[in-house]
Amino acid sequence: MNILIADDELDMLKILQSYFQREGFTVFTATNGAEALDIFYHEKIDLAILDWMMPEKDGITVCREMKETQKIKVLILTARDTGEDEYLALSDGADDYVNKPFYPQVLIMRVKKLLQMESVQRLNDVSFDISSQRVWREGKELDLTKTEFQLLRVFSQNRRQILTRDQLLDLIWGMDYMGDPRTVDTHIRRLREKIGEDIIQTHRGVGYSTSE
């Protein structure tokens, strides 16, 4: 899933980008309304998170233009907290409305609900439940570590796309990770031992992808 986050508070933007990337989303960011629309017209965006009070074009204006152009989910973020403001945002096409400050985990849950992301997903003959982090193959439950489960989920959400070691480090361990980058290879080897060697392919000198 591709999401666009637009907010002129750079610290907020960086935090949200990190949280959503760890959840397996591909994240585009913008610091004003005009930049958000430019990204929207050039990329396939499934959902936009828009700050109401942005320079150049505010979030409500951007929401309205996006909705008039194509089908997209929009969530408005704002420090404005009156019922009238919420009514205005929803009347202008927003699908949800979240007041600042907020917990990033709650925002992630709201986004997943808007995108109707199913809890149980499949990758080849492996089934896994995002909410409980349980994994099965051929009816047998597998014992995965938290990191192995995150790798499985990221590969499932980026099927057939080659992910480099650096991309996986950012998505799973975070952009501030300073350890040995070859930890990716170690965790993927252990994941393969549990789910089967055929599900994740190695592209030598490039990265990894799913076989499906």
Side-chain angles (χ1 to χ4, degrees):
M1 290 286 186
N2 296 337
I3 65 171
L4 166 63
I5 306 174
D7 198 312
D8 59 336
E9 296 180 37
L10 297 183
D11 289 342
M12 172 71 72
L13 202 59
K14 183 177 180 180
I15 290 170
L16 291 180
Q17 181 181 22
S18 177
Y19 269 96
F20 277 100
Q21 284 180 333
R22 291 182 187 183
E23 291 294 316
F25 289 92
T26 299
V27 182
F28 298 87
T29 61
T31 57
N32 61 66
E35 185 181 357
L37 284 172
D38 184 61
I39 294 172
F40 170 72
Y41 286 121
H42 289 88
E43 304 289 345
K44 180 186 178 298
I45 303 298
D46 299 293
L47 180 142
I49 300 173
L50 308 174
D51 180 42
W52 188 325
M53 304 302 293
M54 289 190 294
E56 297 196 31
K57 288 190 176 183
D58 63 71
I60 298 298
T61 301
V62 174
C63 171
R64 191 183 305 118
E65 185 167 335
M66 286 180 172
K67 289 285 189 174
E68 290 174 351
T69 305
Q70 58 184 272
K71 186 177 181 180
I72 183 176
K73 298 292 185 180
V74 176
L75 186 149
I76 295 291
L77 293 179
T78 182
R80 302 167 61 145
D81 60 357
T82 69
E84 183 179 351
D85 292 327
E86 183 173 2
Y87 175 80
L88 177 60
L90 297 175
S91 296
D92 278 336
D95 298 284
D96 204 351
Y97 178 98
V98 174
N99 291 115
K100 295 180 179 181
F102 56 85
Y103 289 106
Q105 295 90 340
V106 172
L107 182 62
I108 290 169
M109 289 179 63
R110 294 277 194 102
V111 165
K112 288 182 176 180
K113 185 175 181 180
L114 286 176
L115 293 173
Q116 296 180 333
M117 296 179 67
E118 296 182 359
S119 178
V120 178
Q121 299 186 19
R122 291 183 61 86
L123 180 60
N124 291 43
D125 58 350
V126 174
S127 302
F128 57 100
D129 189 324
I130 293 175
S131 59
S132 66
Q133 296 196 8
R134 298 173 66 188
V135 183
W136 303 266
R137 187 177 194 188
E138 298 178 349
K140 179 183 178 181
E141 185 165 358
L142 308 178
D143 183 20
L144 268 60
T145 66
K146 181 178 179 181
T147 299
E148 291 163 356
F149 184 85
Q150 289 176 326
L151 279 168
L152 177 63
R153 183 181 59 190
V154 166
F155 279 116
S156 177
Q157 293 173 339
N158 296 274
R159 296 169 190 253
R160 294 188 178 275
Q161 178 181 338
I162 299 176
L163 299 173
T164 67
R165 187 185 289 119
D166 287 341
Q167 287 174 317
L168 290 168
L169 283 171
D170 287 345
L171 291 169
I172 306 298
W173 285 268
M175 293 181 288
D176 297 328
Y177 178 76
M178 299 297 289
D180 185 353
R182 297 215 171 255
T183 190
V184 172
D185 306 324
T186 300
H187 282 86
I188 288 179
R189 175 176 55 79
R190 292 173 180 169
L191 177 61
R192 280 172 165 161
E193 290 173 355
K194 295 178 180 180
I195 66 173
E197 300 288 337
D198 57 321
I199 294 179
I200 300 174
Q201 296 181 329
T202 299
H203 300 267
R204 295 194 180 277
V206 183
Y208 300 93
S209 74
T210 63
S211 58
E212 182 184 83

